[in-house]
Amino acid sequence: MASIDRDGEPPITRRELLAAVGGAGFVSSARRDQSDGLADGSPVPDAPVHVRVYPGPVPFRVRLRSGTDGVTDHWTSAHQESLEAVESAFEAIRDYANERNRLGEFAVSVDRGDLVRLPQSAVSRPSDVVVPPLETVLEGFRDRLRERGALTGATCHLLLCWAPLNHRIGYGGTRSPNALVGDDSGGTTGDALTVANVGATERWDSRAVTRNMAIHEVLHTFVSNAVAESVGGSRCDHDLGAAVRVDDGTMRVSPLATAYAGPDELGGGTRFHGTGCYDHDAFSRHDGLEGVDGWTYTTEPSETTLEAATRYLERRVVP
C-alpha cells in the first residue's frame, strides 16, 4: 500500500485500511453510545439555527498525531477547525442578513456532539461493512440519532467521518428525505443529516479543503433547489459558488464551489472532482481555467450563497 502514500508518510496497515475505508466504524447495535449533548454537558442552546457536529471513529495513528484530545475522544484538530469554519460561515450569513434588516437578531448555535459509531443494522450487504456507500452511512447516522433522541426538529446534524479510501462516500453529501433543515414534508422531524469526509480531504487535499467541505455539506441543508434557482437562475446549489482569480495562475474558491470549480479530472483543483451537478457558466462567478495552476480556498461564502441561505432561512427556519 506504500504506493498510495504521499509526503513521506509510512504505509497504511491492513487494520488501518479497514478502519479508513469503513470510515464511520460499524459496531454491534447492542452497544449504546453516550447520551447526546454539548461537550461540557450543558443543555442545547435554544436557537432557531442549530448545527451539531459529530466525529466518527478516527484511526489511532491519526489521533496520536493530533495530540491528547484526539487520542481520547476522536476529536482532532481537523474536526475542531471544521466546526469553527461552519461557525464562521453562519456568522457571515447572519451579518449579511443584519446589514439588510432581515431575519431580525436570530441566533445561531454550532455545537459539538458525541462520537457516532454506526449500528451493524445499517449494513444490508457484507461489502458495506468495508466500503459503505453514502446512503448506508446516512441511514446508520439517522438510526443512531434516533436512538439518542437527538432528532428534535430544525437541526443540521453533520457527521465528520474518516474514510480516505472510500470512494462510495467521496467527499460527503446528503440525501432525501433528510436533506433540508425544516423540511418535514416527508414525515420526518425536519432535521437534516449530512456527511463530510474529512479523512479524504485531509489525506488527499489540505486543511483548507477540509474546512470548505464541512461548510459545503452543511450549506446543502440550508439551500433548496427552488431557492438556488430564485437567486442564481440554476437549481444546482453548487452554481451559487464562486471561483475568482487572485492572480494570473491562482484561483480562489468559495465553499459551495469546492470540488466543482476545477476541470473534471484527477487533480483539477481538489484531488477528486465532485460528482454532483455543476455548470461553470452558471456559477455566480467563474473566471475561467486557462493558465490556472494554483488553488486557494476561502471559508467566506459567495454573495449569492449568502442571499440563498438568508432566503431559505426566511422561508423555512427562522420564525
Side-chain angles (χ1 to χ4, degrees), residues 243-253 261-263 267-270 288-297:
V244 180
R245 285 181 186 258
V246 293
D247 58 42
D248 288 344
T250 306
M251 191 80 81
R252 183 178 64 231
V253 181
T270 51
L289 296 172
E290 184 176 357
V292 172
D293 57 9
W295 301 85
T296 63
Y297 298 88

Side-chain angles (χ1 to χ4, degrees), residues 4 26 34 61 74 78 90 107-108 112-113 124 150 162 178 200 262 307:
I4 68 171
F26 288 90
Q34 302 175 44
R61 189 178 71 187
H74 297 256
F90 276 93
V108 179
R112 178 172 159 179
S124 59
W162 201 278
N178 303 106
E307 172 59 30

Side-chain angles (χ1 to χ4, degrees), residues 78-90:
H79 294 77
Q80 182 60 34
E81 290 190 33
S82 295
L83 182 148
E84 292 169 356
V86 171
E87 284 182 319
S88 73
F90 276 93

Side-chain angles (χ1 to χ4, degrees), residues 19-278:
V21 296
F26 288 90
V27 298
S28 169
S29 59
R31 172 175 174 172
R32 300 288 299 204
D33 290 287
Q34 302 175 44
S35 60
D36 210 24
L38 301 188
D40 62 1
S42 60
V44 176
D46 183 15
V49 181
H50 187 198
V51 180
R52 176 170 285 176
V53 184
Y54 305 78
V58 179
F60 180 76
R61 189 178 71 187
V62 175
R63 287 183 278 143
L64 190 63
R65 289 200 301 264
S66 187
T68 304
D69 289 344
V71 169
T72 57
D73 65 3
H74 297 256
W75 189 268
T76 70
S77 60
H79 294 77
Q80 182 60 34
E81 290 190 33
S82 295
L83 182 148
E84 292 169 356
V86 171
E87 284 182 319
S88 73
F90 276 93
E91 287 171 0
I93 294 167
R94 184 181 58 200
D95 291 346
Y96 176 91
N98 287 343
E99 288 167 4
R100 290 156 180 78
N101 297 315
R102 297 162 65 182
L103 295 175
E105 294 296 324
F106 76 94
V108 179
S109 171
V110 181
D111 59 62
R112 178 172 159 179
D114 292 332
L115 173 68
V116 170
R117 297 182 185 273
L118 300 191
Q120 188 67 37
S121 58
V123 178
S124 59
R125 295 180 301 177
S127 61
D128 289 351
V129 174
V130 178
V131 189
L134 179 61
E135 291 82 358
T136 298
V137 173
L138 286 166
E139 288 171 8
F141 186 26
R142 185 184 61 217
D143 290 346
R144 271 292 182 245
L145 296 182
R146 185 184 293 116
E147 288 177 6
R148 296 177 178 185
L151 296 175
T152 56
T155 297
C156 170
H157 302 272
L158 170 64
L159 175 63
L160 299 178
C161 75
W162 201 278
L165 305 179
N166 190 336
H167 65 281
R168 301 173 78 185
I169 296 176
Y171 285 129
T174 189
R175 293 285 188 275
S176 295
N178 303 106
L180 290 168
V181 170
D183 181 9
D184 57 3
S185 59
T188 64
T189 59
D191 295 84
L193 280 67
T194 188
V195 175
N197 189 350
V198 295
T201 54
E202 288 290 295
R203 182 163 187 81
W204 305 114
D205 294 289
S206 66
R207 183 60 55 85
V209 175
T210 294
R211 291 190 292 262
N212 264 32
M213 288 308 301
I215 297 170
H216 179 117
E217 301 303 351
V218 169
L219 284 174
H220 275 317
T221 72
F222 286 94
V223 179
S224 66
N225 290 343
V227 166
E229 185 174 31
S230 72
V231 173
S234 166
R235 291 179 62 81
C236 176
D237 54 2
H238 296 137
D239 294 341
L240 295 168
V244 180
R245 285 181 186 258
V246 293
D247 58 42
D248 288 344
T250 306
M251 191 80 81
R252 183 178 64 231
V253 181
S254 72
L256 273 180
T258 305
Y260 292 91
D264 190 356
E265 60 187 35
L266 188 67
T270 51
R271 180 66 65 93
F272 304 102
H273 196 281
T275 57
C277 60
Y278 76 101

